[in-house]
Structures are given as C-alpha cells and as structure tokens.
Amino acid sequence: MKGAKGWIIAALLMWLAGSCQQSIAYQLAFAGSPPDFILVAIVTFSLFSDRRNGAVMGFIGGIVQGAASGGHMATYAFTRTILGFMVGWLTSLEFEGNAAVAFIVNAASTCAAQVAFLLLSPKGAIVPFLLATIVSAVYNGVLAIPLYALLKKVSGPPRH
Amino acid sequence: MVLVGLCVFGFLLGSLQNSSHLKDRVDPVSSVIRSLLSPLGSALNACVRSVGSFAEGTLSSTRLVRENRRLKALEQSFALYSDTIGQVRAECEMLRKMAGFGPPAGKARVPALVYGFSINENRLTINVGSNQGVKAGCPVESADGLVGTVEDVEANRSQVLLLTSAGLQPNSNGKPLLIGAIDINRNPPPAGLLRGENASTLTLTFMDPKAPVQIGDTIVTSGFSEKIPRGLVIGKVIQIDPSEEFGTLKARIDPAFSLGNLEFVFVLT
C-alpha cells in the first residue's frame, strides 16, 4: 500500500485500533486474553506494504501502544518496528496472500512480539503470560481475517 | 537504514518518556496520542457498556427492581447516621490538629469513570486528573476494595497502576510500588508486604513464619504510608505457604476487586 491513500488508510486504521485497544479490548477478552488490535493493524497493513512502510507502520503502532498503555514506549516501538519490517519483508517473497496467510502471520507475529516484549520487559509470572499469548495469538489471527479482506478490497491485491 | 533510524527515534522517545516520568509529568507525545484516542475510546467504551447493561437489564429486570428498592431503604437508614458520622469526623479532625498531626490521607473521595484498560501494563485510565485534585500516588478504590494507585496525572485524566503490579512494576519514580497490608482477623494484626503474582493473585509476605494467618482472613491496607490510609480492603487469603528456612510466611491473596466489573472508582486525595 503506497502513496497518500495508503497513509490515510494507515492513519485511520491506527486511530481506530488505538481507540479500541485502549477502551474495549479488555471487555472483549476471551479466556482472560484480550485481542491486540494495534498489532493486528500493524501486521495486516504490513502484508500490503514493503519493508520500509511496514517498519514505519510498526513504529507508529508501537508509539501509539506505548503512549496509550503507559508502558515503556521504546520497548513497544522497537518490537513493533522490527515486526512491521519482517512482515513487509515477508511479502517480497513469492507466495499467494490470502485470509489463511493473514491468520497465520498474525498469530505468529503475536507470539514473536510478546516473547520479544517479555525479554525486554520481564513479567512476574511467565507461564500465565505465555498461555495468554497463545490465546491472544489465535484471537488476533481470527480478527485479521476480516481486516485483511477489507484492506484487500480497499487497496487491491497485496504485493507478493 | 530506515529501520535503524526508527529504532533510534523510538529509544529517544522512550528516554523523553522516562525523564518526564521522573519529573512526575506526562511526556508531550503520550499526551497528544492519548488526547487523540480518548474521544473515540470513551464513545466505544460507553457503547459496549450500554449494550452489556441493556442485555443484563432485560434478562434480570425483576432482580434489579428488588435491588433498587433495597438500596433506597438503605439510603434512608444511612441518612439517619450521617449527622453522627459528621460530628465524629469533626471531633477526629479537631483532635488531630490538637495533637499536631496533618490531615489524614484519603480524606476526600473523587468519583471517576474507568474508560481504558491496558492488560500488559496493569493499568487503567480514569477520567479525572489534576483539575479534580488528583495527585500521583493517590490510592484508587472501587466498591469492593483497593484497586491501585494513581501513576500518571494529566489535567483531566490519569492512569492507575493496578494492585496486581505491586512490587513488580516500577512506578513513575522508578521504584516498585510497595503496599503494606495487615490481617484484620487477628489481634494484634500481623503485617506484611504485598507483591503481584499475576493478573488475578497477590502474594503477602510476612517476616514471621509463624504469623497467625488463616485461609479466608480479610487483608486490608496497613496505613504505614503517607498516601494510602489504613483499612482499605485488599482481598482474602486463599493459600498459606510457611517457609521456615527463609523465615517468612507467604499468603496468596485473591484481590477484592474484579477488573471486569470496574466502571466507577474513587480516588482518595
């Protein structure tokens, strides 16, 4: 996704994702694990972007998440920027983008981001955190499917 | 190149955030982003809560009517005692002044609405701030008990660090939040320090392995703090684990507040 249209979509997506994350993510928790709207927005948008735009989207998402949650902004910015970059890089490989790919990439990205976050910002109890990460990964993967379809409709087929 | 630049920029913003925290301020980037997210966030939150309340009201209207009648009766009986309570409070204040003590912590209760949650960071966002007299470190309680302490304060909103992050996450001054607690079911009440274990459990460590604590005991704040008054309910003991070799006794506590039900809270200023 490139040009002014791409960035307007990105800005709108991030605003919506940030607002949802801040206000209703906990109320939509499944088995105690809330969805990560911002991560879903970063990864799904990056599936339609190159490495550079993916990294920029990841950076913006990290800053928004850090600011909204009150957590350490640098940790969020670093993990999300790397993630956006990696997903953008992934799209340069030869594969057919579809809803299943969006599910798998989102689920895997959630696990990777949370593990990186755990290493950079250690938590008290690791096992419950990892179990919650697995549930969140599946939840995020499911949420990514309609978003992927929407972005595909708005922007045309993804790069691959 | 872009990746490196963004990472460096992220660390710079993180440093700005840290330095602002140390001065008990919110950094401008976070403030702008929160201001942009708040209007839609509050509307979405209200919308989801309205749908939930509507469904609950429809399904349990009879129970709600009964509860409403009971609460009105309680309000009437409370009015009978309010004058006496006012007189006793005035006497307490006069005695504190005579003894040279300052005003008690947690004197005024500022009502607030919860409209934001951050699970990873164990934080809540509430709709009151410095304009309403809220300061960093003030305790926040719900109808069930202590919820946490105020962390970031802006003009009309604040972030609250939850009780479950006690002893784990550093507060704005870079130190972990330490909360003293006592077991009110015993006399004299044994005192210990709280530590968050996970999102739903706390650990209370007593320095005496033979502390007379029992399962089901109620744990409240000790009051050994400038800002957190004595007697705020923390939760109930659900497990006891004495460790004689370390000279401690650890009690697992089920917090009194339920995160899923938090909507209205009070900041004790």
Side-chain angles (χ1 to χ4, degrees):
Chain A
M1 214 178 282
K2 285 185 172 179
K5 184 187 165 190
W7 288 114
I8 290 169
I9 291 170
L12 268 174
L13 194 61
M14 197 47 70
W15 182 54
L16 274 171
S19 301
C20 289
Q21 189 63 39
Q22 192 191 27
S23 58
I24 59 169
Y26 189 78
Q27 285 153 321
L28 302 177
F30 177 75
S33 299
D36 192 333
F37 290 104
I38 296 177
L39 195 67
V40 172
I42 293 168
V43 174
T44 313
F45 181 87
S46 299
L47 280 172
F48 293 85
S49 312
D50 56 14
R51 285 175 294 184
R52 194 178 70 100
N53 288 353
V56 174
M57 184 66 170
F59 175 77
I60 295 168
I63 296 297
V64 169
Q65 198 150 15
S69 68
H72 197 238
M73 206 183 270
T75 309
Y76 280 108
F78 181 72
T79 53
R80 272 46 175 176
T81 304
I82 300 284
L83 197 72
F85 180 84
M86 295 295 282
V87 177
W89 172 76
L90 203 69
T91 57
S92 63
L93 302 175
E94 289 296 319
F95 70 87
E96 186 70 29
N98 55 37
V101 168
F103 175 86
I104 293 165
V105 173
N106 265 280
S109 301
T110 305
C111 292
Q114 292 296 83
V115 170
F117 190 75
L118 181 70
L119 295 174
L120 290 168
S121 176
K123 301 285 161 189
I126 294 174
V127 176
F129 181 81
L130 291 177
L131 288 174
T133 297
I134 293 168
V135 180
S136 282
V138 176
Y139 202 160
N140 289 348
V142 172
L143 283 177
I145 296 171
L147 181 62
Y148 180 86
L150 184 73
L151 285 179
K152 193 171 183 177
K153 197 161 189 171
V154 171
S155 68
R159 294 178 68 239
H160 49 258
Chain B
M1 196 67 186
V2 172
L3 184 67
V4 175
L6 289 173
C7 288
V8 171
F9 190 37
F11 280 110
L12 288 175
L13 288 175
S15 305
L16 176 70
Q17 187 192 31
N18 282 347
S19 61
S20 299
H21 265 169
L22 289 172
K23 291 172 195 161
D24 271 343
R25 284 190 210 143
V26 178
D27 63 292
V29 178
S30 296
S31 188
V32 168
I33 290 172
R34 286 178 198 169
S35 299
L36 286 171
L37 299 180
S38 282
L40 182 62
S42 304
L44 283 169
N45 189 274
C47 194
V48 169
R49 283 194 193 279
S50 299
V51 171
S53 301
F54 178 76
E56 195 188 346
T58 311
L59 294 171
S60 43
S61 53
T62 316
R63 183 180 59 81
L64 289 173
V65 169
R66 217 179 298 137
E67 197 173 299
N68 192 274
R69 281 188 196 134
R70 191 176 63 85
L71 288 171
K72 277 182 180 163
L74 274 174
E75 192 190 5
Q76 280 177 350
S77 56
F78 174 75
L80 294 172
Y81 294 105
S82 61
D83 287 347
T84 317
I85 291 169
Q87 279 173 4
V88 172
R89 275 193 179 159
E91 273 176 32
C92 280
E93 271 181 42
M94 195 179 69
L95 287 169
R96 285 185 75 94
K97 269 184 195 166
M98 285 166 71
F101 295 136
K107 198 175 151 193
R109 288 156 61 93
V110 179
L113 182 71
V114 178
Y115 72 91
F117 293 92
S118 174
I119 315 307
N120 270 352
E121 302 298 336
N122 278 324
R123 283 165 198 256
L124 299 175
T125 310
I126 54 175
N127 70 341
V128 292
S130 54
N131 286 352
Q132 289 77 29
V134 175
K135 289 176 192 154
C138 288
V140 177
E141 69 164 347
S142 69
D144 299 321
L146 184 65
V147 173
T149 54
V150 173
E151 177 68 4
D152 286 344
V153 185
E154 292 176 72
N156 288 306
R157 69 174 162 256
S158 311
Q159 282 205 329
V160 178
L161 200 56
L162 292 175
L163 190 59
T164 44
S165 65
L168 295 177
Q169 278 180 263
N171 63 11
S172 55
N173 296 319
K175 292 174 187 165
L177 172 70
L178 292 175
I179 296 176
I182 53 170
D183 181 344
I184 49 159
N185 294 99
R186 309 291 145 210
N187 194 12
L193 269 181
L194 273 178
R195 185 182 168 87
E197 201 170 282
N198 54 47
S200 57
T201 322
L202 296 158
T203 304
L204 180 58
T205 307
F206 296 95
M207 286 306 161
D208 175 8
K210 288 174 184 161
V213 181
Q214 287 184 11
I215 291 172
D217 282 0
T218 302
I219 303 298
V220 300
T221 51
S222 63
F224 306 148
S225 152
E226 281 177 24
K227 290 187 173 167
I228 303 176
R230 189 184 177 98
L232 298 179
V233 177
I234 289 170
K236 285 199 182 291
V237 178
I238 51 170
Q239 193 183 326
I240 298 166
D241 180 20
S243 173
E244 299 219 0
E245 64 267 35
F246 292 109
T248 60
L249 183 140
K250 287 189 174 182
R252 290 183 79 194
I253 313 293
D254 179 26
F257 77 91
S258 167
L259 197 55
N261 297 332
L262 279 183
E263 188 174 359
F264 300 106
V265 291
F266 292 96
V267 184
L268 307 181
T269 57

